[in-house]
Amino acid sequence: MTFYDVKQKYNGFNFEKYIGNISDEMIKNSIQKEILDSMDFLNLLSPKASNHIEQMAQKAHEISVKYFGKCILLYAPLYVSNFCINNCVYCAFSTINKIKREVLSFEEIEENCKIISSYGLRHILLVAGESNTKTPIEYLKKCVEILKNYFEGIDIEIYPLDESSYKALADSGVDGLTIYQETYNENLYKLLHSNGEKSNYRYRLETCERAGRANYRNLNVGVLLGLNDFISDIFFTGIHAKYLQAKFQSAEIGISFPRLRPTVGTYQPKTLIPDKNLIQAICAIRLFINRININISTRESKKLRNNLIPLGITKMSAASSTEVGGYLKRGQSEGQFKVKDTSTVDKVKEMIYEKGYQPIMKDWIAL
Ligand code: SF4
């Protein structure tokens, strides 16, 4: 059994009907519980729960401090290639967009690493568009060998692999995986991803399980907020994360909340997710899964990131560039999306200290 089978059990579940019957009493009851079930989680995501956001935020804060203290791990993404065989309509790297394509040479990777590590960062996210011919495993392994000389934690956000390839990358030094399902709505997913490897919804959905079997220490999931109905997509993200936590007990499970940002192309989001919904989603996740990493990237503004910290953020990117090799030559090519918080690492650290929290550069050492 995989998460695909778990998700199938919700086929036919009428979200609209259930949400229409949620009462204030049900929401209050869910907030007070120690252990929440999936319907409690849905209660907290409902429009009616926005009237209880202060109580949810208070509890989310208490749980976060209890399990994580007041620490925020900082990291940066390094884009090594923007070649992609897929045509995701919402992404600058889509194969249909006429942008300058490149793959970093190993010398360029080394130069970017020197710059990023000079900011003080010790965790890196290696990102590549999906092309196993332009960025094959052997290339990625070599990238990781270089990254290892500069960083203690190496996560990857690349095309989905089979278990043996995940093992090969783990042997090179990778310890975490980020993979976004984009949307859990299978029909919409197929409409948005009509060609390339990414059109295989099930293979992508089961990706974290292949990495989990390869003993990855960090497994991070998420959806691209704005593609689909907010409530059902956040609901399945939470259910997926909880499933992974139960199945891979030695792994740290994390959730990111990327909202669609402007990019090249003409795609218009189905819905613009307002800040209040994002805040509600973060609080609901924290109450549903107490021990989960929550990551907020530089897609969000400095002000919002600052305000989200007490709700249970445990990871933040800083000084990010979404261009290929963008630390060495910033502003010279099309990034995957436009970064909103352009603060330096020192400014992000300052902001974290001002909130009474501590920025963490490294949270583990590989033995
Ligand atoms: S979202 Fe990922 S798979 Fe889709 S076009 Fe962009 S880089 Fe390629």
Side-chain angles (χ1 to χ4, degrees):
M1 190 172 100
T2 70
F3 183 67
Y4 186 80
D5 305 298
V6 173
K7 168 131 195 315
Q8 294 301 98
K9 292 183 184 159
Y10 289 91
N11 286 351
F13 177 74
N14 191 331
F15 277 89
E16 244 172 71
K17 187 170 172 206
Y18 180 85
I19 288 167
N21 288 325
I22 293 173
S23 65
D24 286 312
E25 276 315 300
M26 288 163 75
I27 294 164
K28 282 186 203 159
N29 189 35
S30 296
I31 294 173
Q32 276 160 15
K33 277 186 171 178
E34 286 286 314
I35 297 171
L36 279 68
D37 64 25
S38 57
M39 290 302 109
D40 290 311
F41 181 41
L42 192 48
N43 294 345
L44 300 185
L45 291 173
S46 66
K48 211 169 220 165
S50 61
N51 301 329
H52 301 264
I53 200 72
E54 275 185 31
Q55 295 87 327
M56 285 170 65
Q58 177 63 35
K59 187 148 183 210
H61 173 70
E62 286 164 14
I63 294 169
S64 303
V65 172
K66 178 176 168 187
Y67 286 99
F68 294 94
K70 290 187 166 184
C71 302
I72 311 274
L73 180 75
L74 297 182
Y75 73 97
L78 173 60
Y79 284 70
V80 297
S81 166
N82 57 4
F83 279 94
C84 190
I85 57 164
N86 299 312
N87 67 348
C88 310
V89 291
Y90 47 81
C91 176
F93 296 170
S94 163
T95 189
I96 57 172
N97 284 331
K98 295 195 180 355
I99 57 168
K100 186 179 154 212
R101 307 273 173 179
E102 55 184 324
V103 179
L104 291 187
S105 67
F106 298 127
E107 291 72 30
E108 288 172 317
I109 289 173
E110 185 101 36
E111 289 309 310
N112 276 276
C113 286
K114 283 180 189 163
I115 296 169
I116 301 168
S117 64
S118 74
Y119 301 158
L121 297 171
R122 293 291 170 265
H123 278 253
I124 192 97
L125 174 66
L126 186 162
V127 189
E130 300 196 3
S131 169
N132 59 10
T133 53
K134 297 291 183 183
T135 50
I137 289 294
E138 286 312 312
Y139 169 83
L140 294 168
K141 276 167 67 177
K142 180 76 183 142
C143 293
V144 173
E145 276 164 28
I146 299 167
L147 296 180
K148 252 190 344 192
N149 296 327
Y150 296 88
F151 304 101
E152 259 81 31
I154 304 173
D155 282 28
I156 49 171
E157 188 178 342
I158 57 168
Y159 50 93
L161 301 172
D162 60 23
E163 190 178 328
S164 63
S165 301
Y166 280 128
K167 279 208 176 90
L169 286 178
D171 291 343
S172 299
V174 170
D175 44 76
L177 170 77
T178 292
I179 185 129
Y180 299 139
Q181 188 60 28
E182 320 294 14
T183 175
Y184 284 85
N185 180 323
E186 191 166 356
N187 292 331
L188 177 65
Y189 181 94
K190 286 179 176 164
L191 275 176
L192 291 171
H193 309 100
S194 55
N195 85 330
E197 302 255 326
K198 198 162 176 178
S199 59
N200 191 336
Y201 173 89
R202 181 169 185 161
Y203 192 68
R204 193 171 186 90
L205 193 62
E206 293 172 349
T207 301
C208 271
E209 289 170 71
R210 296 192 296 281
R213 288 195 294 274
N215 287 326
Y216 276 42
R217 183 178 163 270
N218 296 312
L219 299 171
N220 302 294
V221 294
V223 287
L224 192 48
L225 292 167
L227 290 181
N228 185 36
D229 157 58
F230 153 81
I231 296 178
S232 64
D233 260 353
I234 293 290
F235 175 76
F236 284 119
T237 308
I239 300 293
H240 192 181
K242 196 151 193 165
Y243 167 88
L244 292 170
Q245 202 169 59
K247 189 158 184 169
F248 302 105
Q249 293 183 5
S250 57
E252 299 247 358
I253 310 300
I255 293 187
S256 302
F257 292 89
R259 288 193 286 186
L260 268 171
R261 293 277 302 131
T263 183
V264 295
T266 55
Y267 180 75
Q268 291 298 321
K270 181 176 172 183
T271 40
L272 286 172
I273 305 299
D275 290 356
K276 69 178 178 50
N277 281 10
L278 184 67
I279 291 166
Q280 186 178 349
I282 290 171
C283 294
I285 284 280
R286 177 59 74 216
L287 267 64
F288 181 48
I289 318 176
N290 292 176
R291 273 202 62 89
I292 188 150
N293 277 310
I294 299 180
N295 179 16
I296 283 290
S297 78
T298 51
R299 283 174 185 265
E300 301 302 338
S301 70
K302 181 180 167 183
K303 186 171 173 220
L304 182 66
R305 284 176 13 120
N306 194 349
N307 290 336
L308 290 176
I309 285 178
L311 301 182
I313 303 305
T314 58
K315 277 176 87 173
M316 282 179 140
S317 49
S320 301
S321 168
T322 65
E323 299 162 45
V324 176
Y327 300 93
L328 187 58
K329 30 185 191 171
R330 224 176 255 269
Q332 288 181 30
S333 66
E334 198 63 55
Q336 191 186 28
F337 57 87
K338 293 204 186 320
V339 166
K340 213 165 180 182
D341 183 357
T342 55
S343 308
T344 62
V345 172
D346 283 344
K347 284 282 170 208
V348 174
K349 283 166 74 176
E350 221 173 83
M351 177 270 284
I352 292 171
Y353 280 126
E354 275 167 15
K355 293 298 268 188
Y357 281 66
Q358 194 178 354
I360 302 291
M361 296 296 133
K362 86 177 176 186
D363 67 348
W364 87 308
I365 297 171
L367 296 173

